[in-house]
Amino acid sequence: MKVFVLSEHGLGTAYELLSGLIVPRPIALVSTQDADGRTNLAPFSYFMIGGINPPSVAFCPVRGREGDKKETLRNIETTRQYVINLVTPDMVEGMNVTGGDYPGDADKWAMSGFSPVPSLQVAPARVAQSPVQLECELMAVVPHGDGPGSADYVIGEVKVAHVREDLVNENGTFGPVDLLSRLGQRDYLAMGSGTFAMARPDISQFLSRDAD
Ligand SMILES: Cc1cc2nc3c(=O)[nH]c(=O)nc-3n(C[C@H](O)[C@H](O)[C@H](O)COP(=O)(O)O)c2cc1C
């Protein structure tokens, strides 16, 4: 094995190593508003499910070169509300447009071609083209580090989920959904039908031994 003690390397190595090897990452297309109702949309692949009681998800806007916060984070800290829209392969171009760090007040909704639909419990709109839209309320922002490359873990409670009908199964399960995922560098993965099922390990023999 090659060993990387990350404190002995630059930020570039940490970025390439973590984002190139922790893959694939589904993309959270996050819809927010500022205090005056100005809308914003941006993708984040540092994104995961947390718990289910309450149902929570986390994503990470990373700070810029000057340690500056992205608009998505500033909006969420102000309004505490957002929508996470999951992204399918057919949404790739619109999603990518919203990932540009444009100067000033770019209308990323208009540029993306995505259509806004009103949410039920939060002010930011949902993306109509997304098959899974999660209305979230901020639980905590956990800052980690400071300066360039430091992160804020945004943890939110999922209040309302809008799920396309074909993804809702009769037995109470959901999916599978063909999500677009981020790999390292400029690479993406479209999940397609490349899935397989596997049961969890059988622990019954250990349980009966305990009972002896
Ligand atoms: C597929 C994809 C995934 C991204 N994931 C992240 C991420 O996890 N964290 C992050 O800080 N930026 C990420 N970005 C970059 C942000 O989307 C980009 O900085 C965006 O302009 C932020 O917008 P905002 O300033 O309006 O919030 C990603 C971009 C793309 C295209």
Side-chain angles (χ1 to χ4, degrees), residues 127-191:
V127 173
Q129 286 81 354
S130 165
V132 182
Q133 307 143 357
L134 308 173
E135 296 186 25
C136 299
E137 236 172 59
L138 180 63
M139 295 172 76
V141 173
V142 183
H144 185 65
D146 49 38
S150 61
D152 294 277
Y153 288 73
V154 178
I155 304 168
E157 179 173 348
V158 179
K159 304 295 276 189
V160 181
H162 304 260
V163 184
R164 207 174 61 200
E165 272 182 40
D166 63 292
L167 300 175
V168 182
N169 306 322
E170 277 176 12
N171 63 359
T173 64
F174 296 85
V177 58
D178 181 13
L179 292 183
L180 178 74
S181 293
R182 190 84 161 87
L183 302 173
Q185 295 137 53
R186 292 182 181 178
D187 297 334
Y188 287 85
L189 173 76
M191 194 171 85

Side-chain angles (χ1 to χ4, degrees), residues 25 27-28 32 40-47 59-63 69-75 95-102 108 180 182 188:
R25 297 182 302 277
I27 299 162
T32 55
N40 190 45
L41 200 54
F44 295 88
S45 74
Y46 299 173
F47 165 49
F59 75 97
C60 262
V62 176
R63 303 261 182 99
K69 294 180 176 178
K70 294 189 174 175
E71 190 175 327
T72 299
L73 176 60
R74 294 199 307 268
N75 286 351
M95 179 284 297
N96 197 35
V97 164
T98 67
D101 289 308
Y102 305 98
K108 293 204 271 176
L180 178 74
R182 190 84 161 87
Y188 287 85

